[in-house]
Amino acid sequence: MVDRLCTVIGVGNLGPVLRDMGRDAEGLEYAERHLALAREIGYRRGEAIALANLGVALCPFERYVEAQERYEQCIRLCRDIGERQLEGTALSNLGSVLGKLGEHARAEEILHHALAIWQEIGDQNRETTSLVRLGLTFVQQGRYAQALECFERCMRLDRERGDPHSEAVTGANVGGLWVQMGRREDARRTLDSTLALSREIGANNP
């Protein structure tokens, strides 16, 4: 049993590595093998991880409906076995996929659930990711004021946890949003500040 469990874990680890190398087809193949092996030995936590990884692996091929199904299966299983962090990750990823499918109202609902989990367990890094996704969901609907609120919350969290790289990226999103809203002076001020921060990051990391 231990040997089979090690095999499941090893196969599961290979999928993300292959995707990071740009070998998406192989990454998808290993994600599918991971799920089959986890189910074969009744390793429920491994099954939940495999479902989440499979959802990620399907997205480069724009197989969003299948990815949605895998994330939903993962969420149900996580709730059954009490895996809150993985549930939050799957919810956040599902929200992003629903946005791509044009299901904005459901994406918004799902992302709020993810945010509640990150706030509950105190994970500001993942909270920032979900806030960005929620902001983009609002942008897709033309709800710019709410999108701006999300991005500004992200920037505050970035400053609190000392992540200038993320703050600079979010600042660029805010600047672009000001442009879409026709507030060019605000856009100029925000983008100038973001550029200065980016230069500071470069100076500190030659």
Side-chain angles (χ1 to χ4, degrees):
M1 178 65 178
V2 173
D3 287 346
R4 296 178 73 192
L5 180 58
C6 289
T7 299
V8 172
I9 294 170
V11 170
N13 289 338
L14 268 173
V17 170
L18 288 165
R19 291 199 307 274
D20 287 343
M21 296 169 65
R23 295 159 64 176
D24 292 329
E26 291 172 273
L28 176 56
E29 179 185 343
Y30 271 88
E32 290 170 337
R33 286 179 60 189
H34 184 205
L35 179 59
L37 288 168
R39 284 175 168 168
E40 185 180 311
I41 67 169
Y43 178 32
R44 300 189 77 203
R45 182 174 185 275
E47 181 182 350
I49 293 168
L51 285 164
N53 284 338
L54 188 51
V56 174
L58 287 162
C59 288
F61 302 97
E62 299 185 1
R63 293 166 61 178
Y64 298 129
V65 173
E66 292 170 80
Q68 175 187 347
E69 293 170 354
R70 294 309 192 187
Y71 287 135
E72 288 172 343
Q73 290 170 6
C74 176
I75 291 161
R76 287 194 295 271
L77 182 52
C78 285
R79 288 173 179 167
D80 194 32
I81 63 177
E83 280 286 341
R84 291 291 278 169
Q85 182 169 308
L86 184 56
E87 179 189 348
T89 298
L91 283 165
S92 185
N93 290 345
L94 175 59
S96 180
V97 164
L98 289 169
K100 294 180 189 301
L101 291 169
E103 296 186 33
H104 301 305
R106 183 150 181 253
E108 181 183 344
E109 177 187 356
I110 290 293
L111 288 166
H112 278 299
H113 285 312
L115 285 167
I117 290 177
W118 303 139
Q119 289 163 3
E120 173 193 318
I121 66 178
D123 191 329
Q124 290 188 331
N125 185 40
R126 289 183 173 88
E127 182 180 355
T128 298
T129 298
S130 294
L131 276 170
V132 168
R133 289 174 173 173
L134 182 58
L136 292 173
T137 297
F138 287 136
V139 170
Q140 289 166 344
Q141 299 174 79
R143 295 163 63 184
Y144 299 134
Q146 289 161 289
L148 182 62
E149 181 182 340
C150 287
F151 293 144
E152 289 179 335
R153 281 177 61 191
C154 284
M155 293 180 74
R156 287 195 295 272
L157 285 171
D158 290 336
R159 292 186 193 112
E160 284 178 19
R161 60 195 178 92
D163 189 344
H165 295 273
S166 181
E167 183 182 346
V169 171
T170 307
N173 285 333
V174 171
L177 189 55
W178 283 131
V179 171
Q180 287 182 275
M181 295 172 73
R183 295 174 59 170
R184 298 192 176 277
E185 184 57 32
D186 289 319
R188 184 195 61 76
R189 185 173 58 253
T190 300
L191 292 172
D192 282 349
S193 176
T194 299
L195 181 59
L197 179 59
S198 298
R199 285 172 175 160
E200 182 181 332
I201 294 167
N204 292 334
N205 297 276

